Amino acid sequence: MNQRWFHRRGDLARSGWESVVDAETPGWAHTGIHIAELTAGRVLPLPSGVESIVVPLAGSFSVTHTQDGETTVTPLAGRASVFSGPTDVLYVSVAATAEITGSGRVAVATSPTDVVKPTAHIAAADVPVELRGAGRSSRQVHNFGTPAALDAARLIVCEVLTPAENWSSYPPHKHDEHAPGHESRLEEIYYFEAAPVSGSRAPSDSAFGMFSTYSSPAGEIDINAMVRSGDIALVPYGYHGPAVAAPGYDLYYLNVMAGPDPERQWLISDDPAHAWVRDTWEGQSFDDRLPFTDDREVS
């Protein structure tokens, strides 16, 4: 079961991409992700029949997209690493065809749809940055692909940065039941990166965190994994969390969500056994290491 829902970097390689999750992935229907390492001169076509969000992880890129006979080239300034603050992103309409060039590491979040929304560029300066939790549960969230920030058909996308020794995706929660006003049904992809804390001499490939997912009434699932850069966890249902950054290593993950419900919204239910933890945050301050702004390189 763990092997079905958790994949190491490169295990899902296909068609020039380091990792691919899409409708061909067993048990998967509503979301997708493509990860690639690009070098100058290389061109990768983006998947078709889906709405997409192009997210530079490290480096800069250009996206050439064509819709209704008109071709546009949108540069993405990107960033030095996922720990360098928000990046500009490009939402690509399902009605467009597109290809990407550049140098660095890039993620493309996708969801199949026939609803046409306009292609949109979101500048880094316009990305809503949220500090969530408190104390050792403090984390930083970049909400560039949430309903409040982006007019998309189905996709809900954000990225979360967790300082060393902190917990995120906590309390464990689920979104696998359609309960209007209370909970929505959403598949979720976690794409991970980890790095030694800023100023550390530790090799980047030593960095890791921990991630758990466990069963709910919607289905049985069991992930308890040491996660490293490039790893992917799939959450079709079940309670997920915590994601824990090990001492000495900061943790990043990109969340891609979509589901079958008519409304595009993120509504969750905490595991009742652990929901009380939220009350302990009252009166605590955010971790003073946030927000992340450094320029370390992640590989």
Side-chain angles (χ1 to χ4, degrees), residues 104-119:
R105 192 165 176 80
V106 66
V108 182
T110 66
S111 181
T113 183
D114 56 6
V115 177
V116 176
K117 295 290 186 177
T119 295

Side-chain angles (χ1 to χ4, degrees), residues 195-245:
V197 296
S198 186
S200 171
R201 296 183 179 180
S204 61
D205 60 4
S206 66
F208 74 99
M210 303 297 294
F211 178 70
S212 294
T213 298
Y214 55 95
S215 301
S216 73
E220 293 187 1
I221 188 170
D222 183 16
I223 301 173
N224 286 287
M226 177 182 287
V227 297
R228 301 181 184 276
S229 291
D231 292 347
I232 290 174
L234 305 180
V235 183
Y237 40 70
Y239 289 105
H240 40 289
V244 183

Side-chain angles (χ1 to χ4, degrees), residues 6 56 70 82 88 90 125 131 137 157 182 193 213 246-247 261 270:
F6 182 74
E70 182 177 345
V82 295
D88 56 337
L90 182 69
L131 298 186
S137 294
V157 182
H182 299 281
E193 294 203 0
T213 298
D261 290 354
D270 288 334

Side-chain angles (χ1 to χ4, degrees), residues 61-252:
F61 306 90
S62 289
V63 182
T64 302
H65 45 103
T66 301
Q67 185 174 347
D68 299 327
E70 182 177 345
T71 298
T72 304
V73 179
T74 301
L76 297 177
R79 54 190 167 183
S81 85
V82 295
F83 297 103
S84 301
T87 179
D88 56 337
V89 303
L90 182 69
Y91 172 82
V92 181
S93 172
V94 67
T97 58
E99 60 184 25
I100 185 170
T101 60
S103 181
R105 192 165 176 80
V106 66
V108 182
T110 66
S111 181
T113 183
D114 56 6
V115 177
V116 176
K117 295 290 186 177
T119 295
H121 177 257
I122 298 179
D126 296 329
V127 172
V129 177
E130 173 190 5
L131 298 186
R132 190 178 295 172
R136 285 300 187 190
S137 294
S138 299
R139 57 269 205 184
Q140 176 177 329
V141 186
H142 299 159
N143 289 310
F144 52 76
T146 58
L150 176 68
D151 182 22
R154 304 178 75 205
L155 270 175
I156 300 174
V157 182
C158 66
E159 53 186 12
V160 181
L161 299 94
T162 308
E165 301 181 38
N166 284 14
W167 291 43
S168 60
S169 280
Y170 193 74
H173 58 279
K174 70 181 184 76
H175 37 72
D176 57 20
E177 178 183 357
H178 181 53
H182 299 281
E183 186 177 341
S184 49
R185 290 178 295 175
L186 296 166
E187 278 183 350
E188 186 163 16
I189 298 170
Y190 278 71
Y191 164 78
F192 297 96
E193 294 203 0
V197 296
S198 186
S200 171
R201 296 183 179 180
S204 61
D205 60 4
S206 66
F208 74 99
M210 303 297 294
F211 178 70
S212 294
T213 298
Y214 55 95
S215 301
S216 73
E220 293 187 1
I221 188 170
D222 183 16
I223 301 173
N224 286 287
M226 177 182 287
V227 297
R228 301 181 184 276
S229 291
D231 292 347
I232 290 174
L234 305 180
V235 183
Y237 40 70
Y239 289 105
H240 40 289
V244 183
Y249 305 108
D250 296 324
L251 183 66
Y252 162 97

